[in-house]
Amino acid sequence: MTEKAIQDFYPDDLSHCYGCGRLNEHGHQLKTRWDGDETVSFFEPWPEHIAIPGYVYGGLIASLIDCHGTGTAAAAAYREAGREPGTEPPFRFVTASLNVRYLRPTPMGVELEIRGRVEEIKGRKVVVSATVTADGELCATGEVVAVEMPERMVPGRG
Amino acid sequence: MTEKAIQDFYPDDLSHCYGCGRLNEHGHQLKTRWDGDETVSFFEPWPEHIAIPGYVYGGLIASLIDCHGTGTAAAAAYREAGREPGTEPPFRFVTASLNVRYLRPTPMGVELEIRGRVEEIKGRKVVVSATVTADGELCATGEVVAVEMPERMVPGRG
């Protein structure tokens, strides 16, 4: 597992995402790292992230899979290009589609483990499958189709 | 459009959802109402709900579709049963699966309109399709497969 997360290499002007931006002080600040051929991130839901008392609300699970998916896509794009994260130009992905299957209620009060696997990488598109586990129990699975961010969305370059 | 939202009829112990619980003071407090055969809700993203500056992060869109979907499912279940919301026993749904397609970047600074349509209602399952529109432009579509909450999840009844 590398020390720095992929999100730590995002340029400042692309680091404000509520889900994973290191510069969004109100957000989740998710950190995606390689662990062999998979990626992993961890997040402990906040006390208010309730669905019904005792369980995590589904929107958070979707958000974690989403940001872990685009982070994994960026990390995979650097690997595919044979470049280190942090080298120019930066890779940054947005989500084209997101699927989440909620397999069982996700308990509050434990750190969630989100794992990603690159299923396909082709041109500007990366498909990532993901799992969300709590206390060793698989709670949700998902799939993110991520595409490289259009140049027009990049601040100052649109 | 009825005055009270379906979430206003959820029992207190099922009203803590971060996405739509009226008793979650930190959450989005989404309100789903009938508008003819469709349901509608509105939400203005908070300043911190950024993806990149100027656009809404995808996890919020997913969360809005999710809660609007389960709200629509509950509203539809009352209609199907020929009962008014608020009559006993209450209907409350959880999400089995969620799909979101992000069609274009969703702009910050405008109220989003989320619309739901019941595609299927059968036994304990309701399938809802949804759209998210900003300033008249369709930004995302989604589908929620909602199932009636298992009795064991209901506080005090598990």
Side-chain angles (χ1 to χ4, degrees):
Chain A
M1 208 179 290
T2 57
E3 282 209 350
K4 277 181 89 171
I6 186 70
Q7 289 88 357
D8 294 327
F9 292 104
Y10 289 171
D12 284 358
D13 55 359
L14 301 179
S15 293
H16 295 278
C17 175
Y18 186 81
C20 61
R22 68 177 180 280
L23 301 179
N24 192 321
E25 62 181 323
H26 301 288
H28 306 146
Q29 303 208 356
L30 196 72
K31 303 284 188 193
T32 298
R33 293 179 170 87
W34 284 113
D35 181 23
D37 282 340
E38 292 189 351
T39 55
V40 66
S41 62
F42 299 93
F43 186 78
E44 181 159 345
W46 303 341
E48 61 264 39
H49 285 155
I50 303 169
I52 62 168
Y55 301 106
V56 180
Y57 94 109
L60 178 70
I61 308 288
S63 176
L64 295 175
I65 290 177
D66 184 16
C67 283
H68 189 69
T70 51
T72 298
Y78 283 108
R79 273 204 178 175
E80 182 79 358
R83 291 205 279 121
E84 287 297 315
T87 58
E88 292 291 324
F91 283 114
R92 184 78 165 83
F93 283 72
V94 292
T95 307
S97 73
L98 168 69
N99 296 331
V100 182
R101 285 164 296 281
Y102 299 92
L103 304 178
R104 56 164 54 84
T106 301
M108 293 286 292
V110 297
E111 189 178 61
L112 305 181
E113 179 176 322
I114 307 104
R115 287 196 164 262
R117 180 174 283 274
V118 178
E119 300 293 344
E120 186 188 335
I121 177 165
K122 193 175 175 184
R124 298 171 66 90
K125 185 176 99 170
V126 182
V127 180
V128 178
S129 63
T131 58
V132 178
T133 306
D135 262 344
E137 286 229 280
L138 183 65
C139 296
T141 62
E143 190 182 71
V144 173
V145 177
V147 293
E148 228 183 299
M149 184 179 285
E151 192 71 10
R152 64 182 161 74
M153 283 187 71
V154 182
R157 280 168 258 178
Chain B
M1 207 180 293
T2 56
E3 281 207 353
K4 275 181 89 170
I6 186 69
Q7 289 88 358
D8 294 327
F9 293 104
Y10 289 170
D12 285 357
D13 56 0
L14 301 180
S15 292
H16 295 279
C17 176
Y18 186 82
C20 61
R22 68 178 180 280
L23 302 180
N24 191 322
E25 60 182 325
H26 300 288
H28 305 145
Q29 302 209 359
L30 197 72
K31 302 284 188 192
T32 298
R33 293 178 170 88
W34 283 113
D35 181 23
D37 282 340
E38 292 189 350
T39 54
V40 67
S41 62
F42 299 93
F43 186 78
E44 181 160 344
W46 303 341
E48 62 263 39
H49 284 154
I50 302 169
I52 62 167
Y55 302 106
V56 179
Y57 94 108
L60 178 70
I61 308 287
S63 176
L64 296 173
I65 290 177
D66 184 17
C67 282
H68 189 69
T70 51
T72 298
Y78 283 108
R79 273 203 179 175
E80 182 80 358
R83 291 206 278 122
E84 286 297 316
T87 59
E88 293 289 325
F91 283 114
R92 183 77 165 86
F93 283 72
V94 293
T95 307
S97 73
L98 167 69
N99 295 332
V100 183
R101 284 165 296 282
Y102 298 92
L103 305 178
R104 59 165 52 85
T106 301
M108 292 288 292
V110 298
E111 189 178 62
L112 305 180
E113 179 176 323
I114 307 104
R115 288 198 162 261
R117 179 174 282 277
V118 178
E119 300 293 343
E120 186 188 334
I121 177 164
K122 193 173 175 186
R124 299 171 66 89
K125 185 176 98 169
V126 182
V127 180
V128 178
S129 62
T131 58
V132 179
T133 305
D135 261 344
E137 287 229 278
L138 182 64
C139 296
T141 63
E143 191 182 71
V144 173
V145 177
V147 292
E148 229 183 300
M149 186 179 283
E151 192 72 9
R152 63 182 161 73
M153 281 187 72
V154 182
R157 282 167 257 177

